[in-house]
Amino acid sequence: MIFYLIVLLAIGALAWIRFAPSDPAVWHVDPKVTTDQDLATGVRRLIPGGEGSLQALHSIILETPRTEVLAGAPSEGHVTYVTRSQWMGFPDYATLQLADDKVELWSRQRFGQADLGVNKARVEGWLSELNAEP
């Protein structure tokens, strides 16, 4: 009986992770990036290029599987995306904000204590594509 209760609780927890609503008031916030940082829960990056970089990154990010805009738009100079992992549906949030001639990017996880480098790898892929564009 206890085994079934544990299984039921585990299934409930996994369902919550996959279907938990993403509140823009919580996740669509100022990234407050002052320098490049690698964090246990994500990364922060300052990207040169201003509005052109913001528009290009927007296109690159939307090509990422299982990614959609949570709030904002490039025309507002502030946009937040949610990307879910393939199997478990864990959400990660990436926020871009135009700051003078730079773009602030903050990508972070929602659940857990460490993202095992997932956000860093994703952001490095986006930046590689950005730098490869003519």
Side-chain angles (χ1 to χ4, degrees), residues 74-121:
S75 61
E76 299 171 11
H78 189 196
V79 58
T80 299
Y81 310 86
V82 60
T83 301
R84 292 192 173 268
S85 64
Q86 184 172 4
W87 301 110
M88 300 302 292
F90 283 95
D92 289 332
Y93 300 91
T95 300
L96 300 178
Q97 182 166 300
L98 192 58
D100 299 319
D101 62 341
K102 295 184 175 105
V103 175
E104 298 177 358
L105 187 157
W106 181 25
S107 185
R108 67 266 189 214
Q109 70 180 35
R110 177 172 180 176
F111 296 104
Q113 299 297 313
D115 75 350
L116 306 175
V118 170
N119 281 285
K120 181 178 180 179

